[in-house]
């Protein structure tokens, strides 16, 4: 491992490498043990160098956006967590917006509103990065990334940079082809419409109020824990199964919104997983509906 670290230090500046970084500091669940390495490459060359080193040394690597849809195991991650924080540039030309994968959706939405472009308001309150939002085809209030994305720049496993069309990302309900193809998203491009800045800000404010009133934002979570099963709402099924407020350790089915599992203090990843399994079991037993997890898991659990 010492040799691996020395090689990493040849690719990245020392300030871009952290060892044994607690992942609970980087996930909205506030859960997760240490990642062996946590690195922030500043450009494509550094990113390519890190990925190629990991492949040759057979050390796993994984991308981290804002950690808002991620449950990391209590033992942490035996590999390299890569964050693209430095990829936060935004370019706006007429109604076309191109932005780096590391930018937060809230920040991007503000820049888009400043440019009086409409169509991105739905994403302003989703606490993810653009990269994570493309991977998940994030959506809210009847809109999703698929409707506005026209393309993305990705790095392939072989280190090749490719420009993909929106269709090539194969965006579906909370899915894309990105994880299966092992792409790293570097940039996304959207097509929006001219609008009126005041109306855009008003819409974002309305949606933000709706979120605050319906979602348990006062507790750490990863948002909706389960995907919406066809023909049902996960939260309603969980509530009807009598699981509102159900706890295991520090993990709890939110009393405010049963679709959210929250960390009400000191929850471990094991608590969350045990709770999710019990919820899945009881909902299937009572209603015959299988709840699939929307939250991605990393590390052994
Ligand atoms: P992360 O959680 O960091 O990562 C998610 C996955 O994407 C991981 O597999 C990661 O490896 C991968 N990934 C991240 N960046 C890249 C990249 N550049 N290249 C390749 N892979 C990458 N989601 C919704 O869709 N709608 C909502 O309304 C919504 N509301 C939420 C409310 C709350 C309070 C919370 C906590 C979460 C909510 N979410 C919602 C879930 C979450 O915010 C979204 O799924 C978001 O898109 C995840 O982005 P992220 O940057 O945090 O990704």
């Amino acid at each position: 491992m010492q040799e691996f670290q020395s090689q990493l230090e040849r690719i990245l500046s020392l300030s871009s490498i952290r060892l044994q970084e607690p992942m609970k500091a980087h996930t909205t669940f506030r859960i997760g043990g240490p990642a062996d390495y946590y690195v922030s490459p500043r450009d494509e060359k550094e990113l390519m160098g890190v990925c190629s080193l990991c492949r040759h040394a057979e050390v796993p690597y994984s991308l981290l956006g804002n950690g808002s849809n991620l449950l990391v195991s209590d033992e942490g991650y035996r590999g390299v967590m890569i964050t693209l924080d430095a990829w936060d540039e935004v370019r706006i030309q007429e109604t076309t917006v191109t932005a780096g994968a590391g930018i937060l959706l809230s920040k991007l939405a503000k820049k888009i509103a400043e440019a009086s472009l409409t169509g991105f308001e739905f994403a302003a309150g989703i606490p993810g990065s653009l990269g994570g939002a493309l991977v998940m085809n994030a959506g809210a209030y009847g809109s999703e990334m698929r409707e506005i994305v026209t393309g993305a720049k990705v790095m392939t496993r072989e280190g090749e940079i490719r420009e993909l069309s929106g269709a090539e990302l194969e965006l579906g309900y909370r899915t894309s082809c990105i994880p299966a193809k092992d792409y790293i998203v570097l940039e996304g491009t959207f097509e929006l419409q001219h609008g009126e800045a005041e109306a855009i800000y008003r819409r974002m404010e309305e949606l933000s109020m709706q979120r605050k009133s319906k979602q348990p934002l006062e507790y750490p979570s990863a948002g909706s824990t389960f995907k919406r099963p066809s023909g049902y709402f996960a939260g309603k099924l969980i509530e009807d199964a009598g699981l509102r407020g159900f706890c295991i350790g520090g993990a709890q089915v939110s009393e405010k919104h049963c679709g959210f599992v929250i960390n009400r203090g000191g929850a471990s990843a094991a608590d969350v997983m045990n709770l999710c399994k019990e919820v899945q079991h009881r909902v299937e037993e009572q209603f015959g509906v299988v709840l699939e997890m929307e939250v991605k898991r990393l590390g052994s659990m």
Side-chain angles (χ1 to χ4, degrees):
M1 232 28 189
Q2 193 54 50
E3 175 56 20
F4 179 78
Q5 192 176 320
S6 310
Q7 290 184 349
L8 206 51
E9 287 170 6
R10 262 176 247 139
I11 298 166
L12 300 169
S13 66
L14 277 185
S15 62
S16 305
I17 307 172
R18 294 193 213 168
L19 306 180
Q20 296 304 315
E21 179 69 7
M23 291 307 296
K24 64 165 130 192
H26 301 281
T27 59
T28 56
F29 245 141
R30 297 287 171 251
I31 292 173
D36 287 343
Y37 300 93
Y38 176 91
V39 303
S40 325
R42 286 167 308 184
D43 54 31
E44 286 172 13
K45 187 165 166 254
E46 288 189 353
L47 176 63
M48 242 177 243
V50 171
C51 296
S52 146
L53 170 64
C54 288
R55 275 195 303 277
H56 285 110
E58 296 184 3
V59 172
Y61 64 85
S62 184
L63 267 290
L64 177 70
N66 197 39
S68 65
N69 198 45
L70 205 57
L71 180 66
V72 181
S73 88
D74 300 315
E75 286 71 40
Y77 181 60
R78 302 290 70 80
V80 179
M81 286 303 304
I82 303 175
T83 150
L84 299 184
D85 291 354
W87 271 259
D88 65 349
E89 198 188 285
V90 180
R91 301 191 298 278
I92 301 183
Q93 252 192 337
E94 289 289 319
T95 52
T96 308
V97 178
T98 300
I103 194 167
L104 289 179
L105 297 176
S106 53
K107 195 170 162 196
L108 179 56
K110 220 164 149 239
K111 288 195 183 270
I112 288 173
E114 274 163 21
S116 299
L117 293 176
T118 182
F120 201 77
E121 295 89 326
F122 77 90
I126 302 175
S129 67
L130 176 56
L134 290 178
V135 170
M136 297 304 300
N137 182 27
Y141 305 108
S143 300
E144 55 183 8
M145 300 307 282
R146 173 168 48 185
E147 293 158 22
I148 52 170
V149 176
T150 53
K153 179 155 108 172
V154 301
M155 186 183 286
T156 67
R157 205 168 168 74
E158 293 69 40
E160 185 197 342
I161 303 291
R162 287 186 58 194
E163 302 278 352
L164 303 181
S165 67
E168 282 175 305
L169 294 171
E170 297 174 34
L171 301 177
Y173 173 59
R174 301 294 172 267
T175 62
S176 67
C177 70
I178 298 162
K181 296 201 168 155
D182 247 333
Y183 291 148
I184 297 177
V185 181
L186 305 178
E187 262 182 21
T189 299
F190 310 98
E191 196 51 44
L192 302 168
Q193 295 101 46
H194 289 294
E196 202 195 310
E198 206 178 299
I200 296 166
Y201 284 117
R202 203 168 42 242
R203 178 71 182 142
M204 293 197 313
E205 186 53 30
E206 269 167 28
L207 296 180
S208 161
M209 299 300 281
Q210 279 191 47
R211 265 183 199 277
K212 280 186 197 135
S213 69
K214 301 236 164 71
Q215 299 182 356
L217 302 183
E218 55 282 16
Y219 287 101
S221 79
S224 298
T225 314
F226 302 98
K227 291 190 181 185
R228 192 179 56 238
S230 171
Y232 300 90
F233 288 101
K236 176 85 170 64
L237 288 168
I238 297 168
E239 183 182 349
D240 291 348
L243 293 167
R244 181 185 290 278
F246 176 64
C247 291
I248 292 187
Q252 182 179 33
V253 171
S254 163
E255 305 214 6
K256 192 167 174 185
H257 186 321
C258 293
F260 279 52
V261 170
I262 58 167
N263 174 0
R264 53 170 209 160
S268 62
D271 290 340
V272 172
M273 280 317 296
N274 289 336
L275 183 80
C276 289
K277 282 181 195 149
E278 191 57 29
V279 166
Q280 285 169 318
H281 171 70
R282 295 218 207 156
V283 166
E284 186 170 6
E285 195 177 56
Q286 291 193 41
F287 307 111
V289 179
V290 176
L291 290 180
E292 188 192 335
M293 281 190 76
E294 177 170 323
V295 174
K296 304 252 184 195
R297 282 144 290 162
L298 191 67
S300 54
M301 57 180 85

